[in-house]
Amino acid sequence: MRQSSVRGEGSRRRVPEPRDAGGDRAPREESGAGAPHDAERRGGEARSREGAGAGDTASAAGAGAGGRAESRRAARAESAGGGRRRKGKGPRRKRSRGVRILRWTALTLAVLIVGAAGAGYLYYEHLNSNIKKAELDLGDSKLSKPEPNAAGQTPLNILLIGQDSRNDKENLKLGGAKQDVGRKGLADVEMLVHVSADRSNMTVISIPRDTRVTIPKCTDPETDEVYEKKTFAPINESLTHGGPGCTVATWKELTGIYIDHFMMVDFKGVVDMADAIGGVPVCVDKNIYSHDSRGHGSGLKLTKGTHPVKGVQALQWLRTRYGFEDNTDIGRAKAQHMYMSSMIRQLKSGTKLSDPGKLMDLAEAATNALTVDHGLGTVKKLYDLGNDLKRVPTKRTTMVTMPWEYRNDGEYVVPKPGDAEKTFSLIRNDTALDGKDKKKKDKVPAPSQPKGELPVVVQNGTGSTVLGPVSGRASDITGELIRLGYAAAKANTQLTSQADTTISYPGEARQGDALAVAKALGLPKSAVKESKSVTDVTLVVGNDWREGTAFPKSAADDEDKAPEIADKTNGEDEKCMEVNPDYTF
């Protein structure tokens, strides 16, 4: 594998196997070989769920009584022109809208690894009842949602979680590792999807599951059990501290990025949806067999070239570590990015979403597989999300792995100092990682009024639950502004949490005032933003300025320079995974 400058190591080597949550060598290896294929499993399970929505609506009742096959026959008959028409309403309009909803909701969840489909009118409420819901954030973070830009738009951030629970027979067959039965599922896959405020681009960033981080204090909403803060812990353990809401809280504290939603899926969910989609093309540069004499490996076996993977084989691809690149989670994350990109391209082409019966299979599989926050808890909300995501061109989709470096002789990784924070900062500030954002005009307008008369509101944004808030920051910087001649500056005593110090202004006429304040304090121009939610120039002192009255120079240096980021993938790339020589045949 080409050595990235992010790794900070001079040669490729085989890295010792990461430890699991308990500190022992990870026994929960991805063993998918020999797992039963989808047809046996999906039939009985999907039909047993069918009756759950029988009382919801008349159409749902029909679906519950007759089974999914009968629903599909009815849908096909109607699409062929043989179905009964209601008075005054032809089936065409209903069918076309339903297919459109199904198509774009499918794209939504495909982008979120799990692939999905939306609401068919025949059993819309039934599909709603399939979706499992959980609390969004179990921590005590005071992190605020980003202010709207000049057009009133805000970015969208969705955390994707793949969990490895083996606590039922089906997931055990797919995942192996019987000794893990009974333990709580770990967050094996963690990716954040960032969609820009103007929906012109999208960034997907992965954090390897063995990354050591601080997991903040979390409270389980079902049991009220309190999990105290845990330092230098594997990030995938966060899911065991009360559920996906603690994983969300961990990401917010690590990255400083506000998270709007999460979506979680398990082993069997991935398999069911890969089947319903009909396979996703993936490529390897050599023959691969992910298996060795010690039992390591997912069981993935492919010959050199491109293959459409589905069912258990799709799960094996997503879970393969031994066999890709340096046999670590870094290579696995890259393979997951390739899978996602390929799925997006396939679903955007529409070739898999033209048959009503296949769409219903996809809708059933997706809604049964998902656990989401309450804000995404209906098919309609997922459809609306799909409408947002469909606006992003595939060529403006960038997938990356968090800049990292090995520690303890390669046993685990940590965020790379400087580069990881810079990457998070670019996402926080809604800067595309593909470098194709339109360059802003470098014009600096004059202030609208003398600085001694300019109202400036200063707020303390150091309310981090991990670092702890720093008291008095608003007063300190207000005092500094008054010393600099801004006599009308005043402190807002309400504590909030924000990673970056920012200066917001209410309209174009006040831009010059905000830039003048930034210059006086030594803040970079990138800290100045227009916002419709403020009425005066407003300075929030972030966690990047926790002490002193002089802004740290390093925080302003190279503000436009993107860090070296490992394994950057564009949504239109059709590359092959590099196979480790020890796992070829």
Side-chain angles (χ1 to χ4, degrees):
M1 180 183 71
R2 291 187 182 90
Q3 198 66 23
S4 167
S5 60
V6 176
R7 301 195 177 179
E9 298 200 355
S11 62
R12 179 173 61 208
R13 57 187 172 76
R14 187 156 173 179
V15 179
E17 180 180 356
R19 299 178 186 270
D20 69 358
D24 298 325
R25 295 290 180 186
R28 58 179 193 282
E29 188 48 52
E30 51 268 54
S31 175
H37 279 303
D38 47 290
E40 294 182 317
R41 184 181 67 262
R42 293 175 63 249
E45 180 180 330
R47 282 190 292 273
S48 68
R49 294 188 180 111
E50 196 67 44
D56 294 337
T57 63
S59 58
R68 194 171 66 194
E70 185 174 330
S71 296
R72 286 202 300 268
R73 286 195 295 273
R76 290 191 183 105
E78 184 172 330
S79 67
R84 251 180 228 180
R85 300 191 178 195
R86 297 182 182 180
K87 271 191 177 181
K89 292 186 180 180
R92 285 187 182 179
R93 182 178 177 187
K94 186 177 290 188
R95 183 175 66 250
S96 63
R97 185 181 175 197
V99 169
R100 188 167 66 252
I101 290 174
L102 286 161
R103 177 171 296 156
W104 285 116
T105 305
L107 173 60
T108 300
L109 305 184
V111 169
L112 310 180
I113 266 190
V114 294
Y121 281 4
L122 291 176
Y123 61 159
Y124 175 84
E125 290 299 330
H126 166 65
L127 294 178
N128 278 340
S129 69
N130 286 345
I131 302 171
K132 296 175 285 296
K133 294 174 278 292
E135 294 298 321
L136 174 62
D137 186 351
L138 303 185
D140 299 322
S141 172
K142 298 182 183 299
L143 191 65
S144 301
K145 187 177 178 68
E147 298 288 351
N149 62 16
Q153 305 162 314
T154 55
L156 181 64
N157 296 304
I158 307 127
L159 183 63
L160 320 177
I161 304 169
Q163 66 119 333
D164 71 349
S165 170
R166 279 87 163 179
N167 291 334
D168 61 50
K169 290 181 179 179
E170 197 157 8
N171 277 312
L172 178 59
K173 287 179 182 178
L174 294 169
K178 291 182 180 180
Q179 62 267 38
D180 286 335
V181 173
R183 74 153 168 81
K184 296 178 179 179
L186 298 166
D188 244 16
V189 177
E190 298 179 39
M191 297 183 182
L192 183 72
V193 175
H194 169 83
V195 188
S196 65
D198 63 4
R199 306 305 189 249
S200 68
N201 64 86
M202 179 166 66
T203 297
V204 180
I205 182 168
S206 296
I207 294 182
R209 66 176 183 173
D210 59 356
T211 303
R212 294 314 195 252
V213 299
T214 295
I215 300 174
K217 174 183 172 183
C218 292
T219 302
D220 190 319
E222 294 185 4
T223 66
D224 291 329
E225 182 176 358
V226 176
Y227 295 86
E228 296 298 336
K229 181 175 76 173
K230 191 172 183 180
T231 58
F232 213 68
I235 194 170
N236 65 349
E237 283 187 12
S238 59
L239 189 63
T240 69
H241 290 211
C246 195
T247 303
V248 168
T250 301
W251 271 74
K252 288 171 71 174
E253 291 294 342
L254 173 67
T255 67
I257 298 169
Y258 182 86
I259 295 176
D260 299 276
H261 302 292
F262 76 81
M263 306 181 75
M264 184 170 72
V265 66
D266 61 11
F267 293 161
K268 66 183 179 184
V270 171
V271 170
D272 287 351
M273 286 182 291
D275 291 345
I277 289 167
V280 175
V282 296
C283 180
V284 287
D285 68 352
K286 294 185 283 290
N287 296 348
I288 181 174
Y289 183 32
S290 178
H291 180 76
D292 65 19
S293 59
R294 293 178 294 168
H296 293 151
S298 67
L300 178 70
K301 190 170 187 179
L302 295 172
T303 55
K304 177 181 177 180
T306 301
H307 304 269
V309 295
K310 59 188 295 188
V312 172
Q313 201 170 49
L315 178 65
Q316 290 172 339
W317 176 275
L318 292 169
R319 302 192 68 233
T320 293
R321 174 170 40 140
Y322 292 97
F324 285 151
E325 300 194 339
D326 61 354
N327 297 329
T328 70
D329 283 317
I330 308 303
R332 170 152 66 175
K334 186 174 180 180
Q336 291 166 352
H337 294 164
M338 287 186 175
Y339 183 93
M340 286 177 63
S341 295
S342 180
M343 187 185 293
I344 292 168
R345 291 193 300 270
Q346 191 162 333
L347 287 171
K348 272 199 168 185
S349 72
T351 55
K352 300 292 180 183
L353 301 171
S354 57
D355 180 88
K358 290 180 180 178
L359 285 172
M360 292 170 82
D361 281 346
L362 188 52
E364 189 76 34
T367 54
N368 272 314
L370 287 174
T371 300
V372 302
D373 64 278
H374 293 282
L376 280 182
T378 68
V379 173
K380 174 63 167 60
K381 290 175 180 177
L382 293 172
Y383 168 58
D384 290 341
L385 176 61
N387 269 337
D388 255 354
L389 294 176
K390 76 177 183 181
R391 295 161 55 190
V392 181
T394 306
K395 64 183 179 181
R396 295 296 314 278
T397 299
T398 306
M399 302 185 185
V400 301
T401 301
M402 173 198 73
W404 51 272
E405 61 184 26
Y406 285 123
R407 290 286 175 86
N408 200 25
D409 196 29
E411 185 179 353
Y412 50 81
V413 302
V414 295
K416 185 174 185 182
D419 280 358
E421 173 54 26
K422 180 63 177 178
T423 304
F424 299 149
S425 178
L426 290 171
I427 295 173
R428 289 194 298 264
N429 288 287
D430 204 20
T431 302
L433 296 188
D434 62 5
K436 296 179 181 177
D437 277 344
K438 292 181 181 178
K439 298 296 182 184
K440 298 176 182 177
K441 296 179 181 178
D442 200 24
K443 182 180 177 182
V444 180
S448 68
Q449 58 186 294
K451 63 181 181 181
E453 300 173 8
L454 177 70
V456 181
V457 177
V458 184
Q459 188 172 7
N460 186 348
T462 64
S464 167
T465 58
V466 170
L467 298 174
V470 180
S471 62
R473 291 304 290 153
S475 298
D476 291 346
I477 304 306
T478 299
E480 177 66 5
L481 282 170
I482 292 173
R483 188 188 71 80
L484 293 168
Y486 289 90
K490 59 182 180 181
N492 177 343
T493 58
Q494 183 178 1
L495 180 68
T496 185
S497 181
Q498 191 168 288
D500 304 305
T501 298
T502 60
I503 300 178
S504 302
Y505 60 94
E508 189 174 350
R510 309 292 289 277
Q511 183 182 13
D513 299 315
L515 287 167
V517 172
K519 184 177 180 180
L521 292 171
L523 292 166
K525 291 179 184 177
S526 60
V528 178
K529 305 173 187 298
E530 183 175 356
S531 172
K532 291 187 177 296
S533 65
V534 298
T535 55
D536 292 307
V537 172
T538 301
L539 166 63
V540 179
V541 185
N543 280 297
D544 59 347
W545 194 8
R546 293 173 61 84
E547 61 183 15
T549 55
F551 186 70
K553 189 174 186 298
S554 60
D557 289 345
D558 298 324
E559 59 177 295
D560 295 323
K561 183 182 178 183
E564 295 288 341
I565 302 176
D567 302 329
K568 186 183 292 186
T569 302
N570 182 271
E572 291 191 335
D573 289 346
E574 297 186 33
K575 297 179 180 178
C576 296
M577 275 302 297
E578 179 185 338
V579 175
N580 186 288
D582 291 339
Y583 289 86
T584 190
F585 65 93

